[in-house]
Amino acid sequence: MLGVHKALQHRYGFASTGQFVSCAFVVLLRKSIPQRTTYKLPLNLALYAIGVKLEKILNKFGYYKRKKPERQYKKIQYKSPGTPEENNQRLIEFTVQGNEWARNKEKDDYQLIGMFFTIVLLIEHKMLNLLAIIDDSIENRMLGEKIDVFKDFLKQYEPEEDENIEEYRLLLQPLNEIKSIRNSMAHDITQPLFGYGSLKQVDSYVKKRRPDMHASFKDCEDEKAKCIGLLATFGFIFSFEIAKLRVCIEH
């Protein structure tokens, strides 16, 4: 049997005993079931699912672990050496490259950026406090994943008689809009600063949920100050809605 295993391993590239057993089991199972063209595709899918489950069982016993694919990189190409003056000039150019994107921002730009990321961190903290009761790994998840877990939480949550679950679901669209802005700003310094027009879902939600608070900044002529007012208001409303959910839950 060991010789057969080694031969198959050499011919088909099995990485381990577990992989060999898994594949052999699926082959034997296929041969034991009549193959008809009318259900060949569903049968293939069923066999694949069985193979995956068997692989998971073997993993638990340490027989088979799937190797992570190695990253593929392009080869480093080296430049021909230049003169000391040329090398010094290139060193200066590379040192300051991209700095203009930070240098050209004004004080009020940084105030808006600071307020935006403060609201993002506040939202993540509030969701963490709520969702830790159903997900032990929530603290390590990214914002988008936290929003997905929040959506799943609402599917499981049983509202009180005088409570409307739709009020909480309405938070999802503005949350996803904030997530999109956060992703573009967090990973690319060349992205232009967002404006009030980029917060359409947030604006629509705040306007419907708290028209009194929306009225306090809607006519503001300073667009950046208007954005800050909108974000601060949404942060307050979000905190209140999450607190309502936590009141009736055992922690």
Side-chain angles (χ1 to χ4, degrees), residues 55-82:
E55 180 182 311
K56 290 181 179 179
I57 294 172
L58 292 171
N59 283 345
K60 290 182 179 180
F61 289 97
Y63 288 113
Y64 169 57
K65 291 289 183 183
R66 189 183 299 276
K67 290 184 178 180
K68 292 184 179 180
E70 294 184 4
R71 292 192 178 102
Q72 300 295 323
Y73 299 108
K74 293 185 291 185
K75 193 172 182 179
I76 298 174
Q77 301 294 328
Y78 295 94
K79 187 177 177 63
S80 299

Side-chain angles (χ1 to χ4, degrees), residues 2 38 57 62 66 80 118 138 151 153 157 173 182-183 191 193 205 218:
L2 185 60
T38 54
I57 294 172
R66 189 183 299 276
S80 299
T118 298
I138 192 65
K151 187 189 299 184
F153 171 89
Y157 181 74
Q173 283 190 324
R182 179 260 176 207
N183 289 347
Q191 285 290 323
L193 190 62
Y205 175 82
K218 69 174 184 177

Side-chain angles (χ1 to χ4, degrees), residues 22 25-26 29 42-57:
S22 177
F25 176 80
V26 172
L29 188 61
L43 178 61
N44 288 342
L45 294 175
L47 291 173
Y48 174 78
I50 292 171
V52 170
K53 288 183 178 179
L54 181 61
E55 180 182 311
K56 290 181 179 179
I57 294 172

Side-chain angles (χ1 to χ4, degrees), residues 52-230:
V52 170
K53 288 183 178 179
L54 181 61
E55 180 182 311
K56 290 181 179 179
I57 294 172
L58 292 171
N59 283 345
K60 290 182 179 180
F61 289 97
Y63 288 113
Y64 169 57
K65 291 289 183 183
R66 189 183 299 276
K67 290 184 178 180
K68 292 184 179 180
E70 294 184 4
R71 292 192 178 102
Q72 300 295 323
Y73 299 108
K74 293 185 291 185
K75 193 172 182 179
I76 298 174
Q77 301 294 328
Y78 295 94
K79 187 177 177 63
S80 299
T83 65
E85 292 77 14
E86 289 174 338
N87 292 338
N88 286 338
Q89 183 60 34
R90 286 172 60 81
L91 180 62
I92 293 171
E93 289 175 2
F94 291 154
T95 300
V96 301
Q97 191 175 44
N99 289 6
E100 67 275 9
W101 295 102
R103 186 170 56 248
N104 293 339
K105 286 184 169 60
E106 304 291 339
K107 181 179 178 181
D108 54 353
D109 293 331
Y110 285 112
Q111 287 178 336
L112 177 55
I113 294 171
M115 170 58 76
F116 177 78
F117 280 103
T118 298
I119 295 299
V120 170
L121 291 173
L122 176 68
I123 286 171
E124 292 203 58
H125 180 71
K126 300 292 183 180
M127 285 198 290
L128 190 152
N129 289 339
L130 172 69
L131 302 176
I133 61 172
I134 67 166
D135 185 0
D136 292 334
S137 303
I138 192 65
E139 188 173 1
N140 299 322
R141 298 190 185 279
M142 301 295 288
L143 176 59
E145 294 177 308
K146 288 186 175 80
I147 294 173
D148 289 338
V149 176
F150 180 53
K151 187 189 299 184
D152 293 336
F153 171 89
L154 294 178
K155 292 177 183 177
Q156 185 183 146
Y157 181 74
E158 298 178 3
E160 299 287 333
E161 291 183 4
D162 59 345
E163 195 175 21
N164 186 0
I165 192 69
E166 289 302 321
E167 289 186 0
Y168 305 117
R169 292 198 178 108
L170 289 174
L171 290 165
L172 294 172
Q173 283 190 324
L175 283 174
N176 280 311
E177 185 174 65
I178 288 174
K179 179 200 71 176
S180 297
I181 298 173
R182 179 260 176 207
N183 289 347
S184 65
M185 292 183 63
H187 302 296
D188 187 359
I189 195 173
T190 67
Q191 285 290 323
L193 190 62
F194 66 91
Y196 198 84
S198 302
L199 297 165
K200 292 179 180 178
Q201 296 295 336
V202 181
D203 180 72
S204 177
Y205 175 82
V206 171
K207 186 176 181 179
K208 292 177 183 177
R209 190 72 178 81
R210 289 297 302 266
D212 56 325
M213 299 182 74
H214 186 268
S216 64
F217 58 80
K218 69 174 184 177
D219 297 323
C220 181
E221 295 182 359
D222 186 332
E223 185 174 1
K224 292 185 177 67
K226 191 175 179 181
C227 288
I228 290 175
L230 177 63

